[in-house]
Amino acid sequence: MLRPMFSVVVVVVVMVLQHTRAFDIREMRQLAARNNVTSVLVFGDSTVDPGNNNHLPTTFKSNFPPYGKDFFGGHSTGRFTNGRLPTDFIGDALGVTGIIPAFLDRSLKKEQLLHGVSFASAASGYDNLTADVTKVLRISRQIEYLRHYKIHLRELVGEKRGEEIVRNAIFIVSAGTNDFIQNYFVEPERSKQFSVERYIDYLMNCLAKDIEDMQRLGGRRFVVVGVPPMGCLPLIKTLNDATDCADNLNQVSITFNSKLKAKLITLKKLLGVKICYADCFGPLLDAMKQPMKYGFTETSKGCCGTGTTEFGESCRGLNICADPTKYVYWDAVHPTEKMYKFIAYEVLKAVSVEMFR
């Protein structure tokens, strides 16, 4: 007869394995190959920035320990987590590349351009004001770098092949959270101009323009990631002096994601492109409600420092938890590599169903 503790361990292992098996990487690579996926091009914020902010005059950086502890070689690349980002796992699962590099990385090799890059900038958002406040790249500026990328491609493989690479790329856009937690609920300008609902509409219009600009530059396949349950971020709980998630902020996330889904349906018809919505709200909330299902034991705080307030510069050089794989969050804002992997697989499921079938 199994001992009680051993029984619990077995149950946890089985649940994690079942969850992981729900996604088949081999099948995904076959689908990507059949659909001629050439590369992954990424736009957005810290959820998908692999280090572009390292080269900007901003304090929103993470190119120092303990960030990158579990990345290849334990290197702090500028990714706001302990290892890889969702886009790294996505690139790998598509059979394109094991990591998605930063476009502004000075060590970027020309050959890497063929497989995709990230133009994303931590602390950015759909609202230009969000990026301006933190001195990071507006998404419009990220799209301008897409133009530069295309020039490099043309020089590398010729115009025809360069256009083909962009046309068959998967464009991933992930932003929105900073528009609320760094801008609307902190800075006075937007809250004076808009109600929350009207501000979400404003962000939808900003996003629509971004997608249209990408489409004009050759984009044909788009994945847009929704926002997480913002009220459950450890930082937000600390600021509210609460142990439970902030329902009002989670409702903002729900409304945003609902409007995003509707906007993407409209853009799909208007532009004649493939667009799919990817959910990160559901996986994160599910992991916090059913941590054993994912192999987590800590859902309320991050692994860095106290896990309640530290992120970015305030996390620099701090002690970390003994086992990040047991944590949903790496710092007080950003998930761990393990949680990001689960999110990446949810994104890929949406892609396989809505884009490749």
Side-chain angles (χ1 to χ4, degrees), residues 203-270:
L203 295 178
M204 292 301 112
N205 291 333
C206 293
L207 166 66
K209 183 181 183 306
D210 294 334
I211 297 293
E212 289 168 9
D213 289 343
M214 293 178 201
Q215 186 262 352
R216 277 192 285 270
L217 287 171
R220 295 294 180 270
R221 296 165 166 170
F222 298 92
V223 179
V224 184
V225 185
V227 295
M230 293 185 285
C232 295
L233 298 177
L235 177 63
I236 297 300
K237 290 181 180 180
T238 301
L239 293 175
N240 287 346
D241 193 23
T243 55
D244 295 330
C245 298
D247 289 337
N248 61 327
L249 265 180
N250 278 358
Q251 187 56 53
V252 171
S253 295
I254 291 169
T255 303
F256 180 96
N257 291 337
S258 176
K259 286 179 177 283
L260 177 59
K261 292 175 190 176
K263 177 62 72 173
L264 295 182
I265 291 172
T266 299
L267 287 171
K268 184 176 181 179
K269 295 176 181 176
L270 178 67

Side-chain angles (χ1 to χ4, degrees), residues 254-296:
I254 291 169
T255 303
F256 180 96
N257 291 337
S258 176
K259 286 179 177 283
L260 177 59
K261 292 175 190 176
K263 177 62 72 173
L264 295 182
I265 291 172
T266 299
L267 287 171
K268 184 176 181 179
K269 295 176 181 176
L270 178 67
L271 301 177
V273 296
K274 292 185 176 181
I275 303 182
C276 76
Y277 167 83
D279 180 32
C280 71
F281 183 101
L284 273 164
L285 200 61
D286 192 44
M288 285 181 273
K289 289 182 176 179
Q290 304 183 79
M292 286 182 63
K293 175 181 174 183
Y294 298 80
F296 296 124

Side-chain angles (χ1 to χ4, degrees), residues 173-189:
V173 184
S174 178
T177 301
N178 297 319
D179 292 311
F180 296 99
I181 66 173
Q182 286 178 190
N183 186 350
Y184 187 86
F185 291 115
V186 177
E187 301 294 327
E189 185 173 338

Side-chain angles (χ1 to χ4, degrees), residues 27-170:
E27 181 185 357
M28 191 72 223
R29 288 180 178 172
Q30 290 172 348
L31 281 171
R34 285 202 295 270
N35 286 274
N36 301 314
V37 174
T38 53
S39 59
V40 178
L41 299 174
V42 186
F43 306 79
D45 58 22
S46 60
T47 57
V48 289
D49 177 6
N52 285 307
N53 275 20
N54 299 351
H55 312 284
L56 302 178
T58 179
T59 58
F60 285 81
K61 299 180 181 182
S62 61
N63 55 336
F64 43 78
Y67 290 99
K69 170 191 172 294
D70 299 303
F71 194 72
F72 302 110
H75 184 49
S76 302
T77 61
R79 289 168 170 80
F80 279 77
T81 187
N82 57 308
R84 283 172 286 176
L85 296 172
T87 39
D88 296 315
F89 289 113
I90 290 168
D92 185 48
L94 290 171
V96 172
T97 178
I99 61 168
I100 305 295
F103 182 67
L104 298 184
D105 185 350
R106 298 186 182 102
S107 65
L108 184 67
K109 295 178 176 62
K110 288 184 178 180
E111 296 74 24
Q112 291 178 282
L113 296 173
L114 300 174
H115 310 295
V117 292
S118 175
F119 308 97
S121 181
S124 191
Y126 294 119
D127 184 351
N128 285 337
L129 179 61
T130 303
D132 293 347
V133 166
T134 51
K135 298 180 180 179
V136 300
L137 299 179
R138 294 177 170 187
I139 290 184
S140 59
R141 180 59 174 156
Q142 297 176 29
I143 295 171
E144 185 60 34
Y145 277 127
L146 173 62
R147 298 178 191 274
H148 297 182
Y149 167 79
K150 291 186 67 176
I151 293 171
H152 290 305
L153 273 186
R154 186 170 67 236
E155 293 173 349
L156 192 61
V157 296
E159 185 170 359
K160 182 178 179 181
R161 178 56 181 162
E163 290 296 333
E164 182 182 316
I165 288 172
V166 173
R167 186 170 61 252
N168 289 316
I170 301 292

